[in-house]
Amino acid sequence: MKWEVRTMRSGTSFFDWTVFKKTVCRFWPLWGAYFAVWLVMLPLNGLMFLQMDQHNTGYMEDFAFHMVPEAAPELALQLTLVFGVLAAMAVFSHLYNPRSANFFGGLPVRREGLFLTHYLAGLAFLVVPNLVIFLLTLLVELAGGAVCWQGLGFWLGVSCGECLFFYTLAVFCAMFTGHILALPAFYGVVNILAYGLMSLFQMTMMAFYYGYSGNGAYPWYSAVEWLTPAYQLNNQVYGMYSYPAVRVGEPELTERVLTTRGMGAVGIYVLAALVLAACAFFLYRARRMESAGDVVSVKAMRPVFKYGVAVCVGLVFGYGSSWFLGRGEATLMASMVIWGLIGYFAAQMLLDKSFRVFHKWKGAAAVTGVFVVMFLVVGFDLTGYETRVPEAAQVEGVYLNGLRADTLGDDGDYIYLNLGEDDQAVIELLTVLHRGAVEQRGWPPKGEGWISSYLELTYTLKDGSTLSRRYNPWFNAGEARQEGTASWAMEQLLKDREFYWKVYGFDSLEENLAKPDWRLSEVEYDNYDYEANYDRGPTQYYYGEDAQALLAAVKEDFFAGRIGVRTLTGGDDNTRQYDRTLRFKAENGEGYLNRVRIFVQDSASSTLAVLERLEG
């Protein structure tokens, strides 16, 4: 007798059709909702435009050439951000329930097959509706006689690329938790993690380091933007149809040109999605199914979660509490320590799923120690950050951003200027002003006559490094004669006519006018009587020789100290009877403009004489 024994064949494939089909059918409301949104936004919207196009031609062209490539990609980003994580929560929901986890773990399908089947099912929730919507929209455009292949292709590429990235990012986050509600929280944190960490760094530095400008993070901005995908894609992805510009004398073009931007960025995120998918694959294969229900399922990430929450909660809520309790450094330090401990024990409760965690005081002591060390470093300025002022001989150049002391209501009120090796005298004054601002920590001063100002400057040092600082210095006429003070340095800058000629921008104006393709096209003159509250006359415009005469008169008055004059030690205050302003405008043949606006003071005798002659 011949006996045959039948045995169950072991599943060794990397894909299981039954599991795929069951997953798609089980969660059909999810992909159905995604499909319904796009159905309304594109094909049905296109049918509405088609109906209107029967009475007034042009509607279908607006839909095909503008709405699809311009508005649809913006909506795609918003939808994929939301539906990407919902799809991941759905297809990997078996990881968050012990019974489901054990059931799938007992199936005769390899871990690799389970992961790939669920991953592709979730991706199909998003990509397949995109393809169907593409075909339906194309049929509507064909019916309307306005087919835009480039616009439709651009939308499809952006939508599918963003779907792949955000869905895969959510799947990657899903591998680190065993709790379904923790997944969207982790997903949201990862999406803003880089920006959040940079903001925390900036906030902490500004709170403790006097003079911190925020420029120290500028070199990292590009990396932070790429690590904040929603922000980067929103800025990078762009599509617009337009008629190209034509030169004078050439025939106008009737064919639109599609201008697209951002497909390269989408491609980079697609490559990142492939890397994340591979990482998620290996994490799933090594995952312990009994971790279902745990907030953090990967053992190595539990300390990162615990101490990360402690530090972030301490910095954010500690800084916020100090605004209500008082903004002193002692209050800020105490608030951060208290909130750091609250964050630590809250994270420990989530990890242990118990309120009995206060016996784990060693970790709390470590969190306190971190904050104390940070306070000691910044409180005693052990790095020398706050008191560092470079010597003028070490400085190659300075970018001055926003310095002010006295206002006349013109282009000389705020100083935005790049200074180089030819401006050593001014650079020396700026280092004196900087040193005076450092010594003013703890102000505002007592007494009257003090003027609050703003100073932000970035040094480029000869060793190739940069140094940026920002202050709110105080100026006083009484200190303006005391050499070495911030007020004295500011007074010297105000008196420097060559320097202020650059501040106004007259040097750039003259450089441009010396070029053959530039001309002084117009001078605009306004004269307003504050006392009588009426215009002394309509705005006057001067051209040609009259405009040149006004520029020459202003220059004569300027270097004679009769116009554009600001001072701390004397002179008029900002109240005046007349507001007389001149606006000089230069332009070249390519449409570039150069404008300078200056207030005409009562002492500007040469300028007023020319104006009187021209008005007469």
Side-chain angles (χ1 to χ4, degrees), residues 60-345:
M60 276 306 299
E61 289 191 356
D62 289 340
F63 171 78
F65 290 95
H66 294 285
M67 182 174 181
V68 174
E70 294 176 12
E74 295 182 9
L75 178 62
L77 178 60
Q78 301 167 21
L79 289 179
T80 52
L81 267 171
V82 175
F83 280 92
V85 66
L86 292 178
M89 292 172 67
V91 297
F92 287 99
S93 58
H94 63 277
L95 296 178
Y96 310 127
N97 182 280
R99 292 182 62 184
S100 298
N102 292 332
F103 171 76
F104 278 94
L107 290 177
V109 183
R110 294 171 56 176
R111 284 283 188 95
E112 293 86 345
L114 285 175
F115 174 83
L116 191 60
T117 301
H118 286 104
Y119 176 81
L120 292 178
L123 189 60
F125 289 180
L126 306 174
V127 174
V128 173
N130 287 343
L131 296 174
V132 175
I133 293 297
F134 173 85
L135 294 175
L136 293 176
T137 307
L138 178 60
L139 291 175
V140 172
E141 291 185 0
L142 285 170
V147 179
C148 178
W149 288 99
Q150 288 177 299
L152 266 175
F154 177 66
W155 166 79
L156 182 64
V158 169
S159 297
C160 291
E162 291 178 347
C163 284
L164 175 62
F165 174 76
F166 286 107
Y167 167 70
T168 305
L169 179 61
V171 170
F172 177 75
C173 295
M175 298 302 108
F176 289 92
T177 181
H179 199 289
I180 194 168
L181 295 181
L183 172 53
F186 286 179
Y187 173 77
V189 169
V190 169
N191 267 289
I192 62 170
L193 181 62
Y195 180 81
L197 290 176
M198 187 191 70
S199 299
L200 282 177
F201 172 79
Q202 297 274 64
M203 181 181 68
T204 305
M205 293 289 287
M206 288 181 179
F208 289 106
Y209 273 131
Y210 175 66
Y212 180 74
S213 66
N215 293 345
Y218 284 168
W220 302 97
Y221 277 179
S222 179
V224 169
E225 288 174 353
W226 281 104
L227 292 173
T228 311
Y231 174 84
Q232 184 74 342
L233 288 169
N234 184 62
N235 289 339
Q236 292 285 334
V237 176
Y238 170 85
M240 185 180 72
Y241 265 97
S242 61
Y243 292 103
V246 295
R247 296 183 178 180
V248 178
E250 294 184 356
E252 293 187 4
L253 300 178
T254 58
E255 185 176 351
R256 295 182 179 92
V257 174
L258 174 62
T259 301
T260 62
R261 186 183 67 189
M263 286 305 298
V266 173
I268 291 174
Y269 283 112
V270 167
L271 294 176
L274 298 178
V275 175
L276 291 173
C279 294
F281 170 80
F282 289 109
L283 287 169
Y284 184 89
R285 194 170 65 171
R287 182 188 179 96
R288 297 180 303 110
M289 287 300 181
E290 58 269 23
S291 64
D294 293 345
V295 174
V296 179
S297 61
V298 179
K299 188 176 181 180
M301 295 301 297
R302 291 170 67 91
V304 176
F305 172 80
K306 179 167 56 178
Y307 292 109
V309 169
V311 172
C312 291
V313 168
L315 292 176
V316 174
F317 287 92
Y319 189 81
S321 297
S322 68
W323 280 82
F324 297 98
L325 301 175
R327 298 183 60 184
E329 287 189 359
T331 302
L332 179 58
M333 292 177 183
S335 298
M336 286 186 174
V337 169
I338 294 172
W339 277 107
L341 293 175
I342 293 174
Y344 169 81
F345 285 115

Side-chain angles (χ1 to χ4, degrees), residues 422-484:
D422 296 335
D423 304 292
Q424 274 300 314
V426 175
I427 292 176
E428 289 180 6
L429 288 173
L430 287 177
T431 58
V432 175
L433 177 55
H434 182 182
R435 192 171 293 108
V438 169
E439 295 172 355
Q440 289 180 352
R441 180 172 186 175
W443 289 24
K446 297 180 180 179
E448 298 180 355
W450 290 97
I451 302 172
S452 177
S453 184
Y454 176 83
L455 169 64
E456 183 174 351
L457 69 174
T458 299
Y459 298 97
T460 301
L461 304 181
K462 292 181 179 179
D463 61 3
S465 62
T466 60
L467 188 148
S468 299
R469 296 292 186 271
R470 179 168 59 195
Y471 304 97
N472 291 103
W474 293 82
F475 302 131
N476 186 286
E479 286 196 353
R481 296 181 177 87
Q482 300 176 22
E483 186 172 352

